[in-house]
Amino acid sequence: MASESTSGGNALSTPRSLLTSTKLQAIRPDPQTPVVLRFDCTVDHALKVLSSQQILSAPVVACSEEDTPDDCTDVIGFIDIRDVLLSFLSDLSMSSMKGHSMLQCMHALEAAGKSFGAKKLQELPELGGDGTFLLDTGMAKVSVMELVHNGFLYPRETKAVHNGEHSRTVVHRVGLFNKAGHITNIISQSDVVRWLQHQQASLGNLRHMTAQQLGWADKQITSVPAKTPAIECLDLMRRSNFSAVAITDSTVGNRLIGNFSVSDLRSIESEHFGSLALPVGEFLALEHGLEYWGISDHEQVQASPAAVFAHKRKQERQPGPGDSVGQSLVTCTPQDTFSTIIDSIVEHHLHRVYVVNDQGQAVGVVTLTDLLRKVTEEAQNG
């Protein structure tokens, strides 16, 4: 990331002065050559590019077949994994999956994925919602406050193009383009949060406030048992307009054992859609290279000596959050401070941390958006 100094070079002692006086050029990420996708490429190609780069999104440009990359300057918006999966779900009849075995659902998803992968991006009903754009000459003029408030939290234009049904109330990235229309860089919420972590001396009392005091310890979350098929989790995320669901283990008091979010799908390609029929706990374990030891809810299986033994050993071992599904799941407590939470998020490159009680149950969640919203509220009220 570029220099952490502010535009004036002096220490800024309040959130208001920090956010309003610091210009984007002070937090600009290191120079990069962003991956750009053509509007006429297939979903299969787009997913392969995102997977190979291990990224969640990329700008999309409108081009004709004859255009070279230098000619492609008509930026349509961003495509991200969430757009692709929402579009796939809109093509899919979830009701048709009910009452079928996991193997049957897997075959159905594989067939649907093959057909869906041949579509072009321009045919998707969901495209372009999670991102806004800014002329890069504004880097020296636009403040961090303007970027966060107008770019991320309250963007003026958030509705996905091409008849998308889901508008974004919050976006996670802003693309910078030059006068020629080429994308030159991307600033994400993560970039701003990393910068803020180094500016905590200017955040005043906010950095000492706890998750409980900030309202994060009783924030609504959506959770599902680990046995829930991954495709149903995605459908739940679509219907609730959430970007993640907490995964719980009903055999140990609904303790938090994992997180299922778009970030866990950065490697998915259309030929892998059949794996979404797996229980989400198993899906996550496979994604993270771990064998999942789940126990069936069937009464005969639960009563078997093997299941009783496995359940007893699991209770004795007291695994940490995420262990059973291969995730290094970082959590916080209601008593942890803003400073502790932002340090954890930055250090572990996270998008969220769950707030857990003494029983290991998720009682709230803190996202990048929550951090940015609290800082801007503090700036506006200061």
Side-chain angles (χ1 to χ4, degrees):
M1 184 177 292
S3 170
E4 295 168 6
S5 63
T6 60
S7 58
N10 300 317
L12 299 173
S13 59
T14 68
R16 178 188 290 273
S17 58
L18 175 68
L19 296 190
T20 58
S21 298
T22 306
K23 307 305 178 185
L24 296 194
Q25 61 189 7
I27 66 167
R28 178 177 53 191
D30 294 331
Q32 55 181 283
T33 303
V35 174
V36 177
L37 294 169
R38 293 170 61 108
F39 201 34
D40 56 358
C41 81
T42 64
V43 169
D44 189 53
H45 174 76
L47 288 176
K48 288 182 184 299
V49 170
L50 295 177
S51 176
S52 67
Q53 298 294 318
Q54 284 294 285
I55 55 178
L56 296 173
S57 67
V60 177
V61 294
C63 300
S64 66
E65 293 184 1
E66 298 77 21
D67 285 339
T68 66
D70 287 339
D71 297 325
C72 298
T73 59
D74 185 7
V75 181
I76 300 299
F78 281 92
I79 181 75
D80 65 15
I81 299 295
R82 188 172 185 269
D83 288 331
V84 174
L85 292 172
L86 286 181
S87 296
F88 178 64
L89 286 173
S90 69
D91 275 5
L92 195 67
S93 172
M94 290 298 296
S95 60
S96 67
M97 309 289 287
K98 301 293 185 181
H100 294 287
S101 69
M102 183 178 71
L103 186 59
Q104 289 173 320
C105 291
M106 190 173 289
H107 288 324
L109 289 172
E110 285 176 353
K114 184 176 181 179
S115 174
F116 179 75
K119 286 190 172 185
K120 294 185 177 181
L121 295 188
Q122 63 196 47
E123 300 177 72
L124 299 187
E126 304 288 343
L127 175 64
D130 196 3
T132 54
F133 294 89
L134 175 70
L135 189 63
D136 61 9
T137 54
M139 295 287 286
K141 301 177 182 178
V142 177
S143 69
V144 175
M145 183 70 169
E146 291 173 301
L147 171 71
V148 173
H149 189 275
N150 301 332
F152 294 143
L153 302 182
Y154 306 101
R156 293 191 178 94
E157 297 179 4
T158 63
K159 190 164 181 62
V161 298
H162 296 284
N163 302 315
E165 297 178 356
H166 298 272
S167 61
R168 303 289 178 89
T169 55
V170 170
V171 300
H172 297 90
R173 55 191 65 86
V174 172
L176 305 175
F177 63 94
N178 59 23
K179 291 182 178 179
H182 296 121
I183 302 296
T184 59
N185 217 321
I186 296 170
I187 298 179
S188 68
Q189 286 193 7
S190 294
D191 294 321
V192 179
V193 168
R194 278 195 297 269
W195 171 77
L196 279 172
Q197 191 224 6
H198 293 289
Q199 311 297 327
Q200 292 187 62
S202 298
L203 299 184
N205 187 54
L206 175 62
R207 69 181 189 271
H208 303 301
M209 296 182 70
T210 66
Q212 186 77 61
Q213 293 171 319
L214 293 167
W216 295 335
D218 55 2
K219 182 181 175 185
Q220 180 186 6
I221 61 171
T222 298
S223 62
V224 297
K227 65 181 181 179
T228 308
I231 189 69
E232 291 186 18
C233 294
L234 287 173
D235 189 49
L236 176 61
M237 290 160 60
R238 176 186 66 84
R239 290 183 282 108
S240 62
N241 203 26
F242 287 168
S243 57
V245 292
I247 310 304
T248 60
D249 187 344
S250 59
T251 68
V252 284
N254 291 322
R255 181 185 298 150
L256 176 70
I257 64 167
N259 172 69
F260 182 63
S261 71
V262 173
S263 297
D264 295 296
L265 298 163
R266 68 176 71 232
S267 297
I268 198 166
E269 299 177 16
S270 54
E271 63 191 50
H272 304 147
F273 282 7
S275 64
L276 294 172
L278 292 171
V280 66
E282 186 172 349
F283 179 90
L284 288 174
L286 291 173
E287 280 290 302
H288 296 280
L290 182 76
E291 185 174 0
Y292 179 66
W293 289 86
I295 300 177
S296 172
D297 280 344
H298 193 282
E299 290 183 2
Q300 290 182 334
V301 176
Q302 285 186 333
S304 69
V308 171
F309 173 75
H311 179 63
K312 180 180 178 182
R313 287 298 300 271
K314 182 163 61 171
Q315 287 184 314
E316 291 173 348
R317 187 164 63 90
Q318 293 293 317
D323 286 356
S324 59
V325 295
Q327 291 180 320
S328 297
L329 194 61
V330 178
T331 61
C332 67
T333 71
Q335 290 72 45
D336 281 330
T337 64
F338 180 98
S339 181
T340 299
I341 293 170
I342 194 173
D343 286 346
S344 294
I345 283 179
V346 172
E347 179 183 350
H348 297 282
H349 309 287
L350 304 174
H351 292 163
R352 67 186 53 77
V353 294
Y354 286 99
V355 185
V356 298
N357 60 19
D358 293 339
Q359 290 72 48
Q361 298 164 329
V363 294
V365 65
V366 186
T367 66
L368 297 175
T369 300
D370 293 323
L371 294 174
L372 294 176
R373 183 170 282 121
K374 284 298 180 185
V375 173
T376 55
E377 287 175 358
E378 194 76 7
Q380 291 170 329
N381 297 331

